[in-house]
């Protein structure tokens, strides 16, 4: 039960002592604070996170912010949920307890110590990885113990087992990097080259984690010179695009692959490398496989690549490029529509053949609908420019060549 009375039968009343004094909802993870009062963990953590230092009920100062699980009350709540299942009450799951800071420190020390056996260090890293996967709270605890510096050193240390490097990489990509972390990686070409090599590892997980770290680093690096250095690394585009091409790629692999490719294509000077590596064919072939956010990134990447001559030529040679882009207009989101219109504008400006394909795909109707929609002003401007550009390519009996269109208020010429 999500903690609301609305889905319950009107005859069911949550016992008063099962409700959190802060949210007044059924407690899912009751914990005891220093004053002896019990609250739902998420509620009291939010209370403290907003700067409050007193107990909400007693108003007494909270000198110790340790939260002790109230197992007895949680079991009573679970029993009550089971007893009232017939009234629509779902049993709350037994929550996993957050990691203890002392355990996190111990595991990090064990993993970082070069004097420990490799299997012992791997075991510590795997336990850390499991804790990080469990909850945001655990990741917050782990992050507060200088974990990024330790993991970066383990990932790029040349004097240790590759298994240690790969396991450290899997944990590192779970945490946001600071700008200093990004510079520590991007300023050393051998580190970027190592990540590029990992893009071709036999394990798809290692490849995806490497792409994730590359994306994190290039996004978190302000220096344009360092971003250019990253995107200029040999085989980096080939490796990222190969992840997108892989028919066995999971949703996570596709998401990370397109994020990495988009971030690399933001560097103007190296977009031709993406085209040479086969980005055009891969993006068109995979466009239907992305979810909404990733489809937006893919379309944004297509528009970026269409801004260079080689990119336009590569997309124009794919038979599905123009029909797919036309079909995308007003189908996914305002952003997707804007990027699709921008890519079509570039393609049609560069090729009469693309103009003919766009008209055959029904772009006229799409553009007229677009300029009358609630889409962004940028999308509408691109649509208006396309309408002007394509006018000579419209069939004789089309709306665009009718006398009425000359005086239409839709596209003010």
């Amino acid at each position: 039960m999500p903690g609301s009375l609305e889905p319950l039968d009107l005859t069911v009343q949550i016992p008063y002592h099962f409700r959190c004094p802060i949210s007044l909802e059924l407690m899912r993870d009751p914990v005891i604070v220093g004053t002896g009062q019990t609250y739902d963990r998420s509620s009291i953590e939010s209370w403290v996170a907003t700067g409050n230092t007193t107990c909400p009920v007693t108003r007494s100062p909270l000198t110790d912010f340790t939260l002790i699980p109230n197992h007895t009350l949680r079991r009573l709540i679970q029993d009550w949920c089971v007893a009232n299942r017939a009234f629509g009450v779902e049993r709350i799951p037994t929550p996993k307890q957050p990691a203890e800071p002392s355990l996190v420190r111990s595991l990090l020390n064990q993993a970082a110590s070069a004097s420990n056996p490799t299997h012992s260090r791997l075991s510590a890293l795997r336990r850390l990885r499991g804790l990080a996967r469990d909850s945001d709270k655990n990741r917050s605890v782990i992050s507060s113990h200088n974990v990024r510096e330790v993991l970066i050193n383990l990932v790029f240390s040349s004097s240790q087992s590759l298994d240690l490097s790969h396991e450290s990489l899997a944990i590192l990509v779970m945490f946001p990097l600071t700008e200093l972390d990004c510079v520590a990686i991007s300023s050393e070409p051998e580190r970027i080259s190592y990540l590029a090599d990992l893009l071709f590892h036999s394990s798809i997980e290692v490849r995806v984690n490497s792409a994730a770290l590359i994306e994190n680093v290039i996004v978190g690096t302000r220096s344009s010179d360092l971003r250019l250095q990253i995107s200029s690394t040999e085989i980096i585009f080939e490796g990222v695009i190969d992840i997108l091409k892989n028919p066995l790629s999971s949703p996570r692999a596709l998401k990370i692959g397109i994020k990495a490719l988009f971030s690399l294509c933001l560097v103007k000077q190296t977009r031709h490398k993406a085209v040479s590596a086969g980005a055009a064919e891969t993006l068109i072939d995979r466009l239907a496989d992305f979810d909404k956010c990733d489809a937006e990134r893919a379309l944004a990447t297509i528009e970026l690549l269409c801004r260079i001559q080689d990119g336009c030529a590569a997309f124009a040679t794919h038979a599905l490029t123009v029909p797919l882009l036309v079909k995308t207009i007003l189908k996914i989101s305002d952003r997707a529509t804007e990027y699709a219109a921008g890519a079509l504008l570039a393609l049609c400006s560069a090729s009469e053949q693309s103009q003919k394909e766009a008209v055959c795909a029904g772009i006229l109707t799409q553009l007229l609908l677009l300029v009358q929609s609630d889409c962004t002003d940028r999308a509408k401007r691109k649509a208006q420019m396309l309408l002007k550009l394509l006018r000579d390519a419209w069939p004789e009996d089309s709306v665009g060549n009718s006398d009425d269109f000359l005086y239409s208020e839709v596209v003010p010429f």
Side-chain angles (χ1 to χ4, degrees):
M1 176 179 158
S4 171
L5 284 173
E6 292 179 2
L8 298 182
D9 188 289
L10 293 177
T11 61
V12 177
Q13 293 295 325
I14 300 176
Y16 175 77
H17 53 284
F18 288 178
R19 294 176 181 268
C20 173
I22 298 175
S23 66
L24 301 181
E25 296 178 347
L26 183 69
M27 287 187 279
R28 306 179 67 83
D29 187 6
V31 292
I32 305 171
V33 299
T35 59
Q37 295 293 323
T38 296
Y39 303 94
D40 202 16
R41 183 185 295 276
S42 60
S43 296
I44 191 63
E45 285 181 343
S46 297
W47 171 267
V48 173
T50 54
N52 295 294
T53 59
T54 59
C55 172
V57 171
T58 66
R59 299 297 179 183
S60 300
L62 289 173
T63 56
D64 183 357
F65 293 98
T66 302
L67 304 178
I68 302 172
N70 192 332
H71 296 297
T72 301
L73 180 57
R74 175 180 49 77
R75 293 190 188 100
L76 288 172
I77 293 174
Q78 288 176 324
D79 291 343
W80 177 84
C81 290
V82 172
N84 288 275
R85 183 180 299 168
F87 300 101
V89 181
E90 295 182 7
R91 181 182 183 274
I92 62 171
T94 301
K96 292 184 178 181
Q97 298 307 311
E100 291 292 334
S102 57
L103 173 62
V104 171
R105 284 194 296 271
S106 175
L107 291 174
L108 279 174
N109 290 336
Q110 183 179 337
S113 177
S115 61
N116 287 334
T118 299
H119 69 84
S120 175
R121 300 173 73 186
L122 271 175
S123 176
L125 287 171
R126 286 167 181 158
R127 285 195 66 187
L128 272 175
R129 188 179 180 185
L131 291 173
R133 279 175 169 171
D134 280 346
S135 66
D136 292 337
K137 175 67 175 177
N138 282 359
R139 286 191 289 276
S140 177
V141 172
I142 295 171
S143 182
S144 66
H145 285 79
N146 201 29
V147 66
R148 294 184 300 273
E149 181 179 345
V150 172
L151 293 175
I152 288 173
N153 289 333
L154 288 172
V155 168
F156 297 107
S157 175
S158 59
S159 60
Q160 64 183 21
S161 160
L162 288 177
D163 289 338
L164 282 174
S165 173
H166 300 163
E167 194 65 36
S168 300
L169 175 62
I171 304 172
L172 182 59
V173 296
M174 295 183 183
F175 298 92
L177 300 180
T178 66
E179 185 179 0
L180 289 177
D181 296 328
C182 294
V183 170
I185 297 172
S186 60
S187 60
E188 297 190 29
E190 64 274 10
R191 290 187 167 185
I192 300 300
S193 295
Y194 174 66
L195 292 177
D197 289 338
L198 289 184
L199 293 172
F200 296 91
H201 194 273
S202 57
S203 166
I204 186 65
E205 182 184 16
V206 172
R207 294 164 64 187
V208 171
N209 288 336
S210 177
L213 186 55
I214 289 170
E215 190 265 338
N216 289 342
V217 169
I218 200 168
V219 169
T221 301
R222 292 186 182 181
S223 167
S224 57
D225 290 337
L226 288 177
R227 290 199 301 271
L228 176 58
Q229 183 172 292
I230 294 171
S231 63
S232 299
T233 304
E234 289 297 321
I235 68 174
I236 197 166
F237 279 103
E238 288 83 354
V240 170
I241 291 171
D242 197 57
I243 291 175
L244 293 172
K245 284 182 179 178
N246 193 326
L248 300 179
S249 289
S250 62
R252 176 177 180 259
L254 288 177
K255 179 177 290 293
I256 289 174
I258 192 58
K259 288 177 71 176
L261 181 58
F262 173 67
S263 64
L264 288 167
C265 287
L266 288 174
V267 182
K268 298 178 182 179
Q269 300 94 317
T270 54
R271 286 176 191 164
H272 65 281
K273 288 180 173 288
V275 176
S276 299
E281 180 181 1
T282 302
L283 286 169
I284 297 301
D285 290 344
R286 276 295 201 179
L287 189 57
D289 299 326
F290 295 120
D291 63 20
K292 176 184 173 182
C293 290
D294 295 333
E296 290 176 349
R297 288 192 187 94
L299 289 163
T301 307
I302 292 172
E303 184 180 8
L304 287 174
L305 294 179
C306 282
R307 293 178 182 177
I308 63 172
Q309 185 175 356
D310 290 350
C312 260
F315 281 107
T317 58
H318 197 300
L320 293 179
T321 296
V322 172
L324 270 178
L325 291 176
V326 171
K327 184 179 179 181
T328 297
I329 292 176
L330 298 176
K331 293 292 184 183
I332 299 176
S333 67
D334 288 352
R335 280 187 178 182
T337 294
E338 180 185 328
Y339 300 141
L344 284 167
L345 180 59
L347 289 166
C348 292
S349 297
S351 164
E352 289 187 4
Q353 179 60 34
S354 293
Q355 294 180 21
K356 295 176 182 178
E357 292 177 5
V359 171
C360 290
I363 194 173
L364 171 58
T365 302
Q366 295 289 76
L367 293 178
L368 292 174
L369 290 172
L370 170 53
V371 294
Q372 297 176 83
S373 71
D374 294 327
C375 266
T376 64
D377 290 339
R378 288 189 301 272
K380 291 181 180 181
R381 284 196 297 270
K382 292 173 182 178
Q384 291 168 354
M385 293 171 69
L386 265 170
L387 284 168
K388 293 178 181 179
L389 178 66
L390 296 174
R391 186 172 181 188
D392 291 339
W394 293 336
E396 291 295 329
D397 59 348
S398 71
V399 175
N401 280 329
S402 70
D403 291 338
D404 292 340
F405 188 76
L406 291 175
Y407 305 102
S408 171
E409 295 181 358
V410 175
V411 184
F413 284 144

